[in-house]
């Protein structure tokens, strides 16, 4: 069982927007703004899409945005494209002994 | 452009030790400001943080792995390594090395991953 909870799957049609939630606790997401999101295509390494809950690394499309409220972080992808079909993982700093925790991943299907 | 590359045996027998090395190019581990980390992913499953090391040699490990895990640095070769002892089939996974900034701003560079299978 993963430390952060994500929906197993989401889907949307090209051009639509989808949001993936990531629910943690007051010990991780709720306390630290150090939430990041990763996109992973099959047999590829994860790619950083969002860091510090809402910041985009250079080179990442502005169709990707992040937010956080309380113990829940969210990733929104607008203007869905076929290339967005992938697994998405959230990650949060948790302090304590297990410094970093991941969500179980969400499979995005572009219909 | 920083690049990371994992290397090591792809097959390890149960009860033996898994050893992987991550070679960093395009940047120096000595530069500071970053934690060098290991993360793994069993087939069809999610990501699990294994541990990290700083240039000072300071380390942090996932307590779920207990005392089985050790991460070390070799600055002369611009490499860092993972040792996982007493492996079982549950340790079969793709192992990634990755970099995260000291401020915790996400894992920005990853190696392509190395599949390690634990089997006799």
């Amino acid at each position: 069982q993963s430390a952060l909870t994500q929906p197993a799957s989401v889907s949307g049609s090209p051009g639509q927007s989808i949001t993936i939630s990531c629910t943690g606790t007051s010990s991780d997401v709720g306390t630290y703004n150090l939430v990041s999101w990763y996109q992973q295509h099959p047999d590829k390494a994860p790619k950083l899409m969002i860091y510090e809950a809402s910041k985009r690394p250079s080179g990442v499309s502005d169709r990707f945005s992040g937010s956080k409220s309380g113990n829940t972080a969210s990733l929104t992808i607008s203007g869905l494209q076929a290339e967005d079909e992938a697994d998405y993982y959230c990650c949060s700093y948790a302090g304590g002994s297990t410094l970093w925790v991941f969500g179980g991943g969400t499979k995005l299907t572009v219909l | 452009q920083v690049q990371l590359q994992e290397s090591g045996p792809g097959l390890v027998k149960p009860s033996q030790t898994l050893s992987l090395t991550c070679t960093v190019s395009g940047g120096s581990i000595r530069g500071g400001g970053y934690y060098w980390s290991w993360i793994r992913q069993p087939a069809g499953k999610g990501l699990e943080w294994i541990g990290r090391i700083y240039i000072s040699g300071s380390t942090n490990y996932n307590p779920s792995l207990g005392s089985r895990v050790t991460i070390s640095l070799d600055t002369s070769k611009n490499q860092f390594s993972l040792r996982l002892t007493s492996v079982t089939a549950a340790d079969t996974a793709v192992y990634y090395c990755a970099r995260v900034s000291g401020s915790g701003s996400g894992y920005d560079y990853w190696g392509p991953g190395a599949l390690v299978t634990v089997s006799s």
Side-chain angles (χ1 to χ4, degrees):
Chain A
Q1 186 173 354
S2 301
L4 305 179
T5 300
Q6 299 180 233
S9 63
V10 298
S11 63
S13 299
Q16 289 186 331
S17 295
I18 62 94
T19 297
I20 300 172
S21 62
C22 169
T23 302
T25 69
S26 57
S27 298
D28 39 62
V29 176
T31 294
Y32 303 99
N33 216 40
L34 299 177
V35 175
S36 49
W37 288 90
Y38 302 86
Q39 176 190 66
Q40 186 179 37
H41 287 110
D43 298 321
K44 297 292 187 184
K47 175 187 176 183
L48 178 65
M49 305 302 285
I50 295 289
Y51 66 98
E52 293 180 14
S54 61
K55 298 179 180 179
R56 263 190 322 274
S58 173
V60 171
S61 171
D62 60 4
R63 298 186 298 105
F64 291 83
S65 62
S67 63
K68 194 191 85 164
S69 178
N71 296 340
T72 299
S74 298
L75 172 71
T76 297
I77 309 173
S78 59
L80 271 179
Q81 299 179 0
E83 68 208 49
D84 300 331
E85 186 163 292
D87 293 326
Y88 290 84
Y89 292 91
C90 62
C91 176
S92 175
Y93 184 76
S97 52
T98 305
L99 291 181
W100 291 95
V101 290
F102 285 92
T106 299
K107 182 175 180 60
L108 168 62
T109 300
V110 180
L111 302 170
Chain B
Q1 175 83 351
V2 174
Q3 292 185 316
L4 288 74
Q5 178 68 56
E6 305 89 351
S7 59
L11 181 64
V12 181
K13 289 182 167 51
S15 80
Q16 294 192 343
T17 297
L18 179 160
S19 295
L20 291 173
T21 295
C22 182
T23 300
V24 180
S25 59
S28 174
I29 286 181
R30 291 195 197 92
Y34 297 99
Y35 287 91
W36 304 93
S37 308
W38 289 95
I39 293 163
R40 69 180 182 179
Q41 184 174 36
K45 296 188 178 180
L47 299 163
E48 179 184 28
W49 180 76
I50 297 172
R52 70 177 189 182
I53 189 165
Y54 193 63
I55 184 60
S56 63
S58 170
T59 54
N60 300 94
Y61 302 123
N62 190 324
S64 70
L65 296 172
S67 59
R68 296 196 298 131
V69 61
T70 303
I71 297 175
S72 59
L73 276 176
D74 185 339
T75 56
S76 67
K77 295 181 180 178
N78 222 32
Q79 296 175 333
F80 62 105
S81 298
L82 169 69
R83 287 183 77 248
L84 185 64
T85 62
S86 304
V87 297
T88 70
D91 295 310
T92 295
V94 174
Y95 285 76
Y96 295 101
C97 57
R99 184 186 86 165
V100 63
S101 71
S103 61
S105 298
Y107 289 87
D108 56 356
Y109 288 100
W110 296 66
L115 173 61
V116 179
T117 301
V118 178
S119 175
S120 55

